[in-house]
Amino acid sequence: MANNENRGFTSNIGAILAAAGGAVGLGNIWRFPYMLGNNGGGAFLLVYVFFVLLIGIPLMMTEFIIGRRSQKNAIGAYRTLSPKHKGWMIIGIFNIIGATLIYAFYSVVAGWTLNYVVLACGNKLSGQSPEAVAQLFANFTQSSCWPLFFQLMFLIITAGVIALGVQKGIEKMSKILMPALFILLILMCVRSLTLGDGVREGMNFLFKPDFSKIDGSCLLSALGQSFFSLSIGMGAMVTYGSYIRKEDKLFNSSLWIAGCDSMVAILAGIVIFPAVFAFGMSPASGPELVYIVLPNVFNSMPGGAIFAIIFFLLLAIAALTSTISLLEILVATAVEELHWKRRTASIVGTVLVFTIGAFCTLSFGPLKDFHICGFTIFDLFDRLTASYLMPIGALAMTIFLGWFFPKAEVRDELSNGGSLKAKAFDIYYFILRYVAPIALIIILISGIIG
Ligand code: PFF
């Protein structure tokens, strides 16, 4: 039976924290800094914030509208809102495939965070030479056994939370983990900003845009990053939207969630770049930035051993609130569409994702030389989802809500049945119908040909 009794979140703050938890994740603290480092620093930040405001927030509202209006999961939402044209369900199916692929590669890096929490707690990262730290990361990721073990651990913890349900699992955990995450992040910022030497350079790198760095690849990466970070185009916010109470204000909630998400990304930049410059490391070190460069930074910093623990714990918490949202996309669909029990759905989803995710883990080791279209399996999943599946999913969603779904119903949902003024409705609707789809098409095409 579907989980219809006590189906949703119990409070507005619970909904905001849960959705912000889904949004804030490795994307903010691991992916954002290295994307920024590789794409020209401040210029990337500027383009990123622009996309969040112009497209990200309206699209998050769109997902919430679809979810709350239908009271259904990623697939069921389209079936319910478009009973005559069931073909729209394809968007939901697309979302489910995308969410599975994201969860598969995401859980690899989530597993690494767990390993690094253990290493940091055992003081195994301190006192090592930069070469030894790099070697440690290489040895760990290239081995098969331990990364798979930690990945599985992470998947099991996530499944445990999901099996507890929306209120006792997702909402409760988010109310504990999100404030903890903010506290840890602020502590890390204070440490980084008091390092002296590299602060100015790091802050300039982050906040001073060099406009010549803005090119097609910067735009595509920034758009992909904003989608990834806000969890847009994969049905996550449709699912969470279906749990938001009818009296909550979708516009305000979206602003809060996107604000929290961007704030965490920027704070992560403030933690990382001053420290990277203070200790003469390269900001453009790619995905290894937080696993190789930062442990070296911690090694050179007073109190570094403690800050290493705090940092990796922070990363693990951020990852967990996001893996929870990823698994919930799959579980909500299985529970409501296939009438599975929540526990069964959590277990089956976890087994499925581990089966696929194991290949992602192994693509750092035994499958390192196995390439598809020039990418390892891990890189392929990352690129495919952030640069293509998420924007395509979002495009299809905007066409559905902007062009096929009655405008009056969209307005009704956003204004809570007319009880709110919804002053910005016309702007939102214009972005939904024109700006977002056109921007998405341009960026997709330029990504494909460029
Ligand atoms: N937004 C998450 C992050 O920034 O880490 C990742 C994510 C979660 C993407 C859920 C997509 C999704 F459906």
Side-chain angles (χ1 to χ4, degrees):
M1 182 55 218
N3 58 339
N4 267 331
E5 64 288 352
N6 298 330
R7 190 178 180 283
F9 298 127
T10 58
S11 63
N12 189 22
I13 182 78
I16 291 176
L17 288 178
V24 171
L26 294 170
N28 305 62
I29 305 172
W30 166 70
R31 199 172 188 276
F32 175 80
Y34 84 72
M35 292 300 263
L36 187 127
N38 285 351
N39 286 286
F44 180 86
L45 177 63
L46 199 71
V47 179
Y48 173 78
V49 171
F50 176 74
F51 278 138
V52 168
L53 293 174
L54 184 74
I55 309 184
I57 294 173
L59 288 190
M60 183 179 287
M61 286 160 62
T62 303
E63 290 211 16
F64 284 160
I65 291 172
I66 293 174
R68 196 174 70 170
R69 188 82 183 165
S70 63
Q71 294 288 297
K72 287 277 170 3
N73 56 83
I75 293 184
Y78 293 96
R79 191 172 33 71
T80 307
L81 296 184
S82 169
K84 292 217 185 89
H85 302 281
K86 295 229 163 60
W88 287 109
M89 266 167 39
I90 192 100
I91 303 179
I93 296 171
F94 200 74
N95 287 172
I96 296 289
I97 296 171
T100 309
L101 296 185
I102 293 185
Y103 195 16
F105 83 82
Y106 200 88
S107 57
V108 176
V109 186
W112 295 353
T113 65
L114 221 48
N115 176 52
Y116 272 70
V117 170
V118 174
L119 288 175
C121 288
N123 208 11
K124 295 277 177 3
L125 296 169
S126 346
Q128 306 258 21
S129 66
E131 295 73 35
V133 170
Q135 198 58 48
L136 187 99
F137 179 75
N139 288 347
F140 167 65
T141 52
Q142 287 168 18
S143 69
S144 313
C145 196
W146 284 111
L148 285 174
F149 169 78
F150 283 110
Q151 181 183 24
L152 186 59
M153 283 295 107
F154 215 97
L155 291 170
I156 291 174
I157 296 171
T158 307
V161 176
I162 288 296
L164 286 174
V166 174
Q167 295 171 2
K168 295 205 187 96
I170 303 175
E171 187 172 354
K172 207 165 181 186
M173 282 308 265
S174 307
K175 279 183 174 162
I176 300 170
L177 294 177
M178 289 308 286
L181 181 132
F182 269 99
I183 294 170
L184 297 180
L185 197 56
I186 302 286
L187 273 177
M188 289 301 301
C189 275
V190 172
R191 170 68 280 197
S192 193
L193 289 175
T194 49
L195 280 172
D197 285 354
V199 174
R200 176 183 290 260
E201 222 179 327
M203 297 302 264
N204 280 346
F205 182 74
L206 186 59
F207 292 116
K208 246 198 177 158
D210 169 357
F211 292 99
S212 68
K213 297 265 168 58
I214 302 179
D215 55 11
S217 132
C218 173
L219 290 173
L220 185 67
S221 308
L223 184 74
Q225 175 61 23
S226 66
F227 277 84
F228 188 81
S229 193
L230 293 173
S231 307
I232 281 166
M234 286 293 91
M237 295 301 172
V238 170
T239 311
Y240 276 9
S242 76
Y243 302 144
I244 296 181
R245 302 178 314 169
K246 283 286 181 194
E247 63 267 36
D248 290 349
K249 299 174 182 161
L250 295 184
F251 177 60
N252 293 16
S253 301
S254 306
L255 277 185
W256 272 106
I257 296 159
C260 276
D261 189 67
S262 300
M263 174 76 83
V264 171
I266 293 171
L267 289 177
I270 295 177
V271 168
I272 290 171
F273 292 111
V276 163
F277 282 102
F279 296 101
M281 310 274 176
S282 162
S285 324
E288 289 155 15
L289 184 66
V290 304
Y291 290 99
I292 297 185
V293 176
L294 279 193
N296 281 322
V297 167
F298 294 136
N299 266 333
S300 335
M301 154 195 299
I306 298 282
F307 286 101
I309 299 177
I310 297 178
F311 179 80
F312 287 111
L313 199 59
L314 170 72
L315 205 55
I317 292 176
L320 180 61
T321 52
S322 290
T323 52
I324 289 173
S325 76
L326 281 163
L327 184 57
E328 181 62 16
I329 304 174
L330 309 184
V331 167
T333 305
V335 168
E336 293 173 3
E337 299 301 303
L338 307 174
H339 306 295
W340 288 9
K341 287 214 177 76
R342 211 163 222 287
R343 259 184 56 188
T344 316
S346 311
I347 295 170
V348 173
T350 300
V351 171
L352 171 75
V353 169
F354 185 59
T355 311
I356 305 173
F359 289 98
C360 297
T361 290
L362 297 177
S363 72
F364 288 88
L367 296 180
K368 172 160 97 249
D369 298 321
F370 178 74
H371 289 112
I372 303 173
C373 306
F375 296 106
T376 65
I377 302 174
F378 179 95
D379 289 339
L380 183 75
F381 281 18
D382 180 356
R383 214 169 141 132
L384 200 65
T385 49
S387 297
Y388 301 102
L389 291 188
M390 297 179 97
I392 293 172
L395 178 61
M397 180 179 80
T398 55
I399 294 173
F400 172 72
L401 204 77
W403 293 89
F404 282 86
F405 197 66
K407 182 175 178 183
E409 288 204 40
V410 179
R411 187 195 285 274
D412 185 73
E413 192 57 41
L414 205 57
S415 63
N416 292 359
S419 63
L420 303 172
K421 285 215 183 74
K423 277 179 262 152
F425 179 78
D426 289 333
I427 301 174
Y428 162 73
Y429 204 66
F430 182 75
I431 295 177
L432 173 69
R433 267 170 85 92
Y434 303 104
V435 181
I438 292 172
L440 285 163
I441 291 170
I442 294 175
I443 302 263
L444 269 166
I445 293 176
S446 71
I448 292 165
I449 56 180

